[in-house]
Amino acid sequence: MRMKAAVAYGLREPLVVEELELDAPKADEVLIKMTASGVCHSDVSCWTGALPRDFPVVLGHEGAGVVEAIGEDVTSVEPGGQVVLTFLPSCGHCRWCHTGHPYMCDLGQYIRTGKMPDGTTRLHRARDGLDIDNMVFISTFAEYTVVPEASIVPVAAHLPLDKLCLMGCGFTTGFGAATNAIQIRPGETVTIVGCGGLGLAAIQGCVLSGAGKIIAVDVHEEKLTMAKKMGATHTIQHRQVAEEVVKEIMEITWGLGTDYSIELVGGDEIDQTVPVAFGAIRKGGTMLMVGVGHHEIKSMPIDPYTLTLWRKKVQGVLFGDAQFRADIPRYIDLFEQGKINLDDMITKEYRLEQINEAFDDVLAGNRVARGIIRF
Ligand code: CXF
Ligand code: ZN
């Protein structure tokens, strides 16, 4: 079928919205008519080169839509059903899926190949048949997409997909970090480093877990205002050196440091963010590393002396350590009860044709919390 998608042809080259030929779903695949797609910093990182990948590609990895058709052997959805598309797949039968770690599913090894798990692509340029890569199997910056059944979470028909698209990456990553990777007890304290979409979701996870002090750190004042709205009890603008921020955190916590910290920035900013996140935690505290670092940076500034003598713990977290087929419906229940706020996280909407503006806004850093493309 013919449809429009935003194609990235090279590093920092403006994306081109054009007609593509989309193959029919093969076995274990589903054709989705997209309703909405979030614009995540990782999309922009692929485009700037912070995350390595080949071109041309249709980016976008946080979406929701309606099933248009199903391939052979698909059993979990039927045409007309609503789904959230997840940036990581879960096959349901590998060792990791079977032991409660679907975020480490063996299919994940193929998500950065630009191809489907069988090594082929469903995307081709309409005018000459040129093969176009996908992003993490789901390429959501497109009117339609063909995805593995392993990359969908079915959701009820009455739910607003223009909000739920955030569950496919950013919301689940941030909220899950705070609620799965650590077990915050009532009154425990958390430092949140980075208050974009992930940070705002993490703050909501801290609030619902009964955290005491939630100290939000960001370079942008606008993001700190959002952090307060989501429940941060203290905010610190990181305009000075990392040690100054840590000093303020120590003052807020009576010299102890917070029980946990969550770093949600990554990229090439880790020389600024990691010293804050690592310095913020108390003796025996845990720092979660959620932000994805620039692929060419091979180390991060954590001093081993303090790591041992303060018995600190540093832990990577992937997709919020979520059991996403069970957790996303659980988050949706909380959303329906008004306990999770997605509405205020989405601060700007775009049409697909405005994708380059959406990327500019992400790079600016202070223009949007989360932007979505509405189809
Ligand atoms: C990223 C992780 C690296 C591959 C692309 C998606 N995750 C979320 O933004
Ligand atoms: Zn993402």
Side-chain angles (χ1 to χ4, degrees), residues 40 42 51 61 87 112 135-136 169 292:
C40 173
S42 300
L51 292 172
H61 63 277
F87 90 87
R112 283 173 292 133
M135 178 173 186
V136 299
C169 178
V292 182

Side-chain angles (χ1 to χ4, degrees), residues 169-353:
C169 178
F171 183 83
T172 303
T173 296
F175 191 87
T179 57
N180 294 318
I182 47 178
Q183 280 76 46
I184 301 168
R185 290 180 303 156
E188 284 192 315
T189 54
V190 191
T191 300
I192 302 290
V193 183
C195 300
L198 303 185
L200 299 178
I203 291 169
Q204 296 193 55
C206 293
V207 171
L208 282 179
S209 303
K213 287 170 182 160
I214 303 169
I215 306 172
V217 181
D218 200 288
V219 289
H220 298 295
E221 216 175 323
E222 297 86 345
K223 290 191 166 166
L224 294 174
T225 305
M226 287 290 293
K228 274 259 177 200
K229 192 170 190 175
M230 295 295 168
T233 59
H234 300 72
T235 56
I236 303 175
Q237 193 171 1
H238 185 174
R239 355 163 214 246
Q240 60 296 53
V241 281
E243 290 72 31
E244 291 296 314
V245 178
V246 172
K247 202 168 146 217
E248 276 194 56
I249 293 168
M250 289 303 159
E251 277 161 20
I252 294 166
T253 56
W254 307 110
L256 186 68
T258 53
D259 296 299
Y260 306 101
S261 69
I262 312 181
E263 198 280 1
L264 307 115
V265 181
D268 51 15
E269 288 161 78
I270 57 163
D271 57 331
Q272 289 298 314
T273 57
V274 168
V276 171
F278 187 69
I281 50 175
R282 62 160 167 80
K283 284 191 280 187
T286 299
M287 168 189 150
L288 300 181
M289 190 69 202
V290 177
V292 182
H294 190 293
H295 73 107
E296 282 164 337
I297 299 178
K298 300 297 178 198
S299 62
M300 61 183 191
I302 283 176
D303 80 87
Y305 179 81
T306 310
L307 180 67
T308 305
L309 293 187
W310 284 49
R311 198 216 157 268
K312 293 189 177 187
K313 185 169 161 186
V314 177
Q315 186 182 328
V317 186
L318 184 56
F319 201 13
D321 281 5
Q323 306 205 19
F324 34 93
R325 296 246 166 79
D327 285 356
I328 289 178
R330 193 158 59 84
Y331 303 158
I332 291 171
D333 269 354
L334 290 168
F335 167 71
E336 286 204 283
Q337 290 174 41
K339 292 176 182 165
I340 277 176
N341 181 352
L342 298 177
D343 300 41
D344 287 327
M345 284 181 62
I346 300 166
T347 53
K348 196 160 174 185
E349 284 192 14
Y350 308 85
R351 285 173 291 105
L352 183 60
E353 289 70 21

